[in-house]
């Protein structure tokens, strides 16, 4: 028997001409998925704010020029940071919890080197009337100059030395940062319209009143005054400071060092001093470090390379005194100690019970850090604890005076200095153009916006990623390394770089993998314009698309 139900008839969607689209299951929903570009942990950790997942994706698609340009939106020096950055991005990388962090630093060098060979740097035009003075041409001053030019400003760059680069040139040795790379990267970063004045030292050849005539000034004079140990015998003949020694070596001089050298310190400078001395033929080099091996401020790679080059490292000791005979310094007495700090934050050994250690030496180079020379600044520039006082955007309390890098921060790395220079340029622009944004931490200042959401490992669906071993950089064998100052680490070739790029999870960014489209049980996802659209008529908010998204680029949001 058949009954005519009229309008109460159930929807016969199997009937010809009918489709499931008519079943508006979306009405059951209280929350729905949304595509987002969430912050990848590598970017959140990068002191220069590089969009790492985005440039790796661009390079993976074969667009090296696009990847290079994306990095240089923030950091003008990828070939430099790809060699010397301490890569906190890799410590934050979600892949580190799976099969090893992506070798971001090596990839950055790969793209940076590609840029130096094939890239054409943009030459920004001057579009603004104001002129800004930048003092100091280390990474902070150079990054600020680069970004100010991109923002259309005229820039006058003042540098005390005769060449640009700061510690990149006078500190970091050539075997880690070849001078050809440094010089070319600076040439690419400094627009032709920038006026460069070398041999001009603020407080000597450059007066504060000259600076005051500019619309704004950025002070990036670094921190290069060597710290002292303040122990008996420190002034004996044959003792010196690590950075002064490196300056000589980087200038091509070969200081005489004797056959037994002690280097005091545990940071990059100490490692560079010890390794340079080995390259200059010193047979016995002993580093005395306060920190335990795993806590040394030098990068672990530097420590491992120093050890493989025959440097001996003694950890957990503080220098107590220097021994002296008629010929000058003859040794160092050290005692078990751990790291402490005085009221000004300077390193202080906290001696502990235990037998002292005497290391015989013909020379001692102290490399326990540097402080900023603030004596040349006018009284109006506020300083505290050995640093110029700045806000998050690099603005000092003095109107239109900005500062950054080692002179204004104890986070003493190249990439922090680059980030500080970039933020200061944007702050200067905000101050001179009167622009403000929601991201301003203080009036007239600029900072990276706080990331809304940083993608965690739990948001990555690792079932979609095969385990692949992280690529390693090639190293020249130690005996070859010790013969010259030729670069120690090799770069990735195309094939290795491509394989390493493929390891990136691309956290927080949709790459069009189709998983949401394939897995949606309601077929609510459709492909549109290279992306996807979720039909709110049909999405029930089940969250399966979020579960199946490999990279955390779909988030559940509540219905309003
Ligand atoms: P600087 O690089 O010091 O530049 C300051 C510039 O200002 C200099 O050119 C100086 O001549 C100029 N200047 C100074 N006073 C005046 C004045 N009165 N008037 C005009 N100009 C002036 N960081 C890393 O990330 N990775 C590393 O591997 C690494 N290795 C290092 C190795 C060594 C040996 C040293 C010493 C440091 C190393 N660092 C490393 C730290 C890093 O080099 C610094 O943090 C960084 O260079 C700071 O940049 P900056 O621009 O603030 O200052």
């Amino acid at each position: 028997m058949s009954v005519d139900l009229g309008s109460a008839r159930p929807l016969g969607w199997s009937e010809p001409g009918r489709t499931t689209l008519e079943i508006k299951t979306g009405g059951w929903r209280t929350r729905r998925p949304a595509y987002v570009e969430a912050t990848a942990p590598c970017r959140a950790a990068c002191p220069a704010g590089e969009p790492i997942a985005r440039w790796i994706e661009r390079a993976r698609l074969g667009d090296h020029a696009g990847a290079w340009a994306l990095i240089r939106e923030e950091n003008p020096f990828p070939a430099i940071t790809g060699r010397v950055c301490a890569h906190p991005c890799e410590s934050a990388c979600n892949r580190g919890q799976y099969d090893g962090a992506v070798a971001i630093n090596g990839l950055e060098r790969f793209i940076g080197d590609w840029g130096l060979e094939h890239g054409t740097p943009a030459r920004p035009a001057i579009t603004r009337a104001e002129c800004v003075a930048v003092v100091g041409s280390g990474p902070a001053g150079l990054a600020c100059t680069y970004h100010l030019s991109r923002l259309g400003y005229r820039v006058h760059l003042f540098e005390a030395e005769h060449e640009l680069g700061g510690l990149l040139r006078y500190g970091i040795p050539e075997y880690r940062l070849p001078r050809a790379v440094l010089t070319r990267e600076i040439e690419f970063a400094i627009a032709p319209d920038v006026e460069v004045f070398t041999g001009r030292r603020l407080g000597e050849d450059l007066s504060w009143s000259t600076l005051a005539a500019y619309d704004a000034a950025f002070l990036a004079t670094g921190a290069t005054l060597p710290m002292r140990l303040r122990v008996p015998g420190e002034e004996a003949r044959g003792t010196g400071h690590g950075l002064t020694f490196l300056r000589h070596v980087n200038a091509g001089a070969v200081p005489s060092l004797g056959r037994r050298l002690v280097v005091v310190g545990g940071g990059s400078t100490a490692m560079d001093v010890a390794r340079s001395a080995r390259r200059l033929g010193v047979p016995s080099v002993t580093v005395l470090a306060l920190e335990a091996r795993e806590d040394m401020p030098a990068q672990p790679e530097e420590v491992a390379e120093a050890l493989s080059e025959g440097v001996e490292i003694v950890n957990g000791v503080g220098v107590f005194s220097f021994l002296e005979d008629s010929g000058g310094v003859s040794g160092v007495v050290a005692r078990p100690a751990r790291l402490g700090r005085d009221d000004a934050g300077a390193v202080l050994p906290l001696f502990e019970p235990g037998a002292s250690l005497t290391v015989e030496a013909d020379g001692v180079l102290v490399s326990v850090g540097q402080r900023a020379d603030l004596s040349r600044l006018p009284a109006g520039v506020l300083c505290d604890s050995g640093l110029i006082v700045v806000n998050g955007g690099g603005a000092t309390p003095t109107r239109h005076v900005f500062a950054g890098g080692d002179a204004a921060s104890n986070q003493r790395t190249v990439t922090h200095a680059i980030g500080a220079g970039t933020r200061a340029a944007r702050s200067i622009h905000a101050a001179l153009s009167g622009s403000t944004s929601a991201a301003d931490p203080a009036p007239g200042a600029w900072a990276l916006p706080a990331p809304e959401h940083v993608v965690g490992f739990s948001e990555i669906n690792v079932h979609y990623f095969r385990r692949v071993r992280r690529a390693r950089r090639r190293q020249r064998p130690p005996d070859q390394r010790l013969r010259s100052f030729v670069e120690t680490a090799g770069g990735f070739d195309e094939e290795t770089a491509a394989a390493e790029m493929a390891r990136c999870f691309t956290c927080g960014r949709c790459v069009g993998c189709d998983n949401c489209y394939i897995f949606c049980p309601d077929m609510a996802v459709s492909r549109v314009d290279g992306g996807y659209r979720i039909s709110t008529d049909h999405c029930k908010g089940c969250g399966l698309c979020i579960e199946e998204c490999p990279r955390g680029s779909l988030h559940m949001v509540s219905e309003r």
Side-chain angles (χ1 to χ4, degrees), residues 17 45 50 118 142 153 167 180 189 239 241 287 302-303 348 350 352 384 390 397 399 409 430 450 476 490 497 538 558:
E50 278 182 29
H118 307 285
L142 290 173
Y153 290 91
L167 288 178
T239 65
H241 293 286
V287 172
E302 293 178 83
V303 176
L348 192 71
L350 300 175
E352 294 183 322
D384 187 26
V390 291
R399 188 169 177 274
S409 163
R476 292 172 46 247
H538 299 94
S558 292

Side-chain angles (χ1 to χ4, degrees), residues 69-129:
L70 265 178
I71 298 178
R72 294 176 90 252
E73 285 289 312
E74 303 297 334
N75 170 13
F77 303 121
I80 294 173
T81 46
R83 287 173 164 82
V84 304
C85 179
H87 46 74
C89 52
E90 293 188 15
S91 308
C93 173
N94 277 328
R95 190 118 196 177
Q97 297 181 54
Y98 186 52
D99 58 359
V102 175
I104 300 168
N105 193 236
L107 291 177
E108 185 180 38
R109 170 173 167 177
F110 175 79
I111 294 297
D113 286 353
W114 182 93
L116 291 187
E117 200 173 331
H118 307 285
T120 311
R123 292 306 186 199
I126 294 175
T127 55
R128 300 199 53 101

Side-chain angles (χ1 to χ4, degrees), residues 127-193:
T127 55
R128 300 199 53 101
E130 299 95 334
C131 186
V132 181
V134 172
V135 186
S137 72
L142 290 173
C144 187
T145 301
Y146 166 81
H147 284 288
L148 285 169
S149 297
R150 284 163 52 97
L151 289 163
Y153 290 91
R154 281 193 301 137
V155 185
H156 289 181
L157 173 60
F158 296 96
E159 165 56 50
E161 301 287 343
H162 291 287
E163 284 188 276
L164 305 184
L167 288 178
L168 298 174
R169 187 177 298 280
Y170 297 106
I172 300 177
E174 173 121 44
Y175 63 83
R176 290 206 290 128
L177 179 56
R179 293 307 179 256
V181 171
L182 172 64
T183 302
R184 193 152 170 79
E185 196 92 302
I186 293 175
E187 278 167 13
F188 272 28
I190 301 297
D193 290 324

